[in-house]
Amino acid sequence: YIGPQGIVHGTTITVMNASRKYLGEGSMEGKVYLTAGLGGMSGAQGKAVVIAGMIGVIAEVSKEALDKRHRQGWIQKACGSVKECLDAVIEARANKAVLSIGYHGNVVDLWEAFQNHHLETGENLVELGSDQTSLHNPYNGGYYPVGLSYEESNKMMIDDPARFKELVQASLRRHVAAVNYMCQSGTYFWDYGNAFLLEASRAGAEVVSKDGTFIYPTYIQLTLGDVFSLGFGPFRWVCTSGDPLDLEKTDKIAAEVIREQLSENPSPEEAGNLSDNLRWIEEAGRNQMVVGSQARILYSNQAGRARIALAFNKAIASGHISAPIVLSRDHHDVSGTDSPFRETSNITDGSMWCADMAVQNVIGGALRGATYVSIHNGGGVGWGEVMNGGFGMLLDGSEDAGEKACSMLNWDVSNGVNRRAWDGHPLAKEAIRKTQERVPGYDLTVCNETDPELLKTL
């Protein structure tokens, strides 16, 4: 069981890549990320912004959820009023602090407060913004309208659902109006895959451009699409001994592999992701996110996963690690998911609507020695909207386990990278070229690009 690590690490990677893309290289200290949600999955945001090294401001309408994250330490400062929250942000920015701030209240009030601050002072206090409310379920507790308390909303959605829907949609229009103002003043905003833009458009908010596309990117279009095209994704392992010391040893082994990769003249895009993940794995133990199983998650690329697997297998064979390790990955990855509304939403050649890749990964993984494989529907965006293919790989220290792991991991990652290369993504094309050079006998059909002007003559 990976516990909260998956969503914390994914959010950390997204925020760090967004910061690098929008704000440039350098420290994120003193930079502000404004968002909403401290529930089951969205609760990761407070922890992630601290790991990323910036200021996070997260609104939450449920006092119980906010207090839980505060007690947990994932929210370092809890605020009960807009003024208290703004004062905390101004102080943290001045001190270039690394801080997670939880605000008990509606995020619309916060966006409008930051808008008013800019109107009054000319100062924009927010560099990055998003939203992790559960807008895939907007009228049954996924999104709470501004102007109503948490308790009032819970009562109205049962007693008067039609009126509640009206208030939710009016709130979304106000929400978007404030976001749009702040973005015109220098803030960068993205949809976090929670149907924010979809539901805002249905509410009549100004989020659709003249050509019919949304004016803000999804987080896949913004950052994770590039990360996946490079071959990086959520690689996982579990120490079957249950010994925290074994997990600590695996962290050190993985960190050493990343340092080796950084010394091999990677591209700037690869180097940025390698550095992000080195920071993650070096601080993983201190962040104390293990729940039950001694497990770890790490965004690693094809070469990194194979090297880490071999290093783990060698450590098991020598007795340095006391028992076998099981390798796996999240479905939110490079290759294992066909999800046109999320993971594969930035594939534009028409194949985003096909579920071929998940099935290919399962069959290919089985043929290359995976211990077990799975194919399943649902997960993340709902039943009927996604197909996932997964695997498990046991490392027991044997030579056979090492050979199977390399063969299977090369396939598992490269299948998705090549699909993105076929779509014409330049990072994927370069990544798959390097894979062909690195992996003996890895042969594939590369895409042929057609002159756009020629197509116009047909």
Side-chain angles (χ1 to χ4, degrees), residues 208-235:
V208 181
S209 63
K210 291 181 179 179
D211 65 2
T213 60
F214 290 126
I215 62 175
Y216 300 114
T218 68
Y219 77 116
I220 297 293
Q221 294 165 334
L222 172 70
T223 61
L224 263 293
D226 287 350
V227 172
F228 291 160
S229 289
L230 289 164
F232 287 88
F235 185 45

Side-chain angles (χ1 to χ4, degrees), residues 77 82-93 101 125:
K77 182 177 179 61
V82 169
K83 183 180 185 305
E84 183 185 5
C85 188
L86 258 67
D87 288 346
V89 169
I90 291 169
E91 180 181 356
R93 283 177 68 93
I101 302 169
L125 297 175

Side-chain angles (χ1 to χ4, degrees), residues 251-264 274 278 298 300-301 303-309 311-312:
D251 289 343
K252 291 178 179 177
I253 290 170
E256 184 57 35
V257 169
I258 296 173
R259 290 190 197 96
E260 290 174 2
Q261 289 184 281
L262 281 166
S263 72
E264 295 167 355
L274 288 168
L278 181 60
L298 174 71
S300 183
N301 62 3
R305 296 187 207 199
R307 287 192 192 184
I308 289 169
F312 286 173

Side-chain angles (χ1 to χ4, degrees), residues 13-24 128 190 222-223:
I13 292 297
T14 298
V15 171
M16 294 179 81
N17 273 278
S19 179
R20 189 159 48 242
K21 184 170 185 174
Y22 284 144
L23 309 178
L128 303 175
W190 65 90
L222 172 70
T223 61

Side-chain angles (χ1 to χ4, degrees), residues 306-337:
R307 287 192 192 184
I308 289 169
L310 285 176
F312 286 173
N313 202 51
K314 182 178 179 181
I316 295 165
S318 69
H320 180 60
I321 291 175
S322 67
I325 289 172
V326 177
L327 305 178
S328 186
R329 58 163 165 72
D330 196 301
H331 67 87
H332 181 58
D333 196 11
V334 181
S335 298
T337 297

